[in-house]
Amino acid sequence: MYGVCLRFARNTLEADDILQEGFIKVFTFLKDFRQNGSLEGWIRRIFVNTAINYYHSKEDEWKETTIDKAESYHSVAEDILGKISTKDLLRLIQELPEGYRMVFNLYVIEGYNHQEIAEMLHISENTSKSQLSRARMALQERLTERKK
């Protein structure tokens, strides 16, 4: 679950806070687990929701930075992805602006659709789609820069 926390957090201290809060919730609500699905899936959902709640609680502190328009859309060659370590990729994801990182994690990694993300983050579906597109462009730009 620490990996889930790291993807949503900006740094390890925030990930530690989310992890601790998540485990508190797991142990508090363990009696409510209905055993309809896997325990791991239930716990993962608690951690994702805890990360989202953490994001909402800190929203006013963080300023959204935007990429207005990408001058060009670079395709990342597969060899770049093959050469980057998981740790480096995680760091690049953590460096994304808050909104980009949240939508990217929820859509790409957790598998939520834009309607679900919009409801969770209290944004419109179009904002979710835009944030995802911008997150992908930002990651591609950073990966391309690493190649140079």
Side-chain angles (χ1 to χ4, degrees):
M1 293 302 109
Y2 192 58
V4 172
C5 298
L6 279 172
R7 281 197 325 272
F8 282 95
R10 290 185 301 169
N11 54 53
T12 56
L13 293 175
E14 285 183 359
D16 292 345
D17 289 345
I18 296 168
L19 184 72
Q20 180 178 345
E21 184 66 28
F23 274 119
I24 290 170
K25 289 179 181 179
V26 166
F27 291 118
T28 300
F29 296 106
L30 190 58
K31 65 185 179 318
D32 297 333
F33 177 61
R34 291 182 240 125
Q35 298 181 4
N36 292 353
S38 72
L39 179 63
E40 180 184 354
W42 180 78
I43 291 171
R44 183 182 193 89
R45 183 145 182 112
I46 287 175
F47 276 89
V48 168
N49 287 332
T50 301
I52 291 168
N53 291 339
Y54 184 86
Y55 165 76
H56 285 304
S57 72
K58 300 292 184 183
E59 225 169 356
D60 292 337
E61 297 174 24
W62 298 323
K63 292 188 177 178
E64 181 69 36
T65 57
T66 61
I67 300 173
D68 291 328
K69 288 188 178 180
E71 292 179 12
S72 61
Y73 187 77
H74 298 286
S75 174
V76 177
E78 288 183 25
D79 64 317
I80 295 173
L81 292 175
K83 293 178 183 175
I84 190 169
S85 71
T86 304
K87 185 177 180 179
D88 288 340
L89 184 57
L90 176 61
R91 185 183 50 74
L92 290 174
I93 292 171
Q94 286 176 328
E95 290 174 357
L96 289 172
E98 297 304 317
Y100 295 6
R101 188 176 67 247
M102 295 299 290
V103 172
F104 182 85
N105 280 316
L106 290 169
Y107 188 87
V108 174
I109 298 171
E110 300 299 332
Y112 289 99
N113 64 42
H114 288 293
Q115 181 180 0
E116 294 168 323
I117 294 168
E119 291 171 11
M120 283 187 253
L121 299 181
H122 309 292
I123 58 176
S124 72
E125 282 185 58
N126 287 336
T127 299
S128 176
K129 291 174 185 177
S130 171
Q131 296 274 322
L132 177 62
S133 175
R134 291 174 178 174
R136 286 179 170 164
M137 285 191 297
L139 285 173
Q140 287 183 350
E141 286 174 8
R142 290 177 180 152
L143 287 170
T144 303
E145 288 171 9
R146 287 178 56 91
K147 184 179 180 183
K148 294 178 182 178

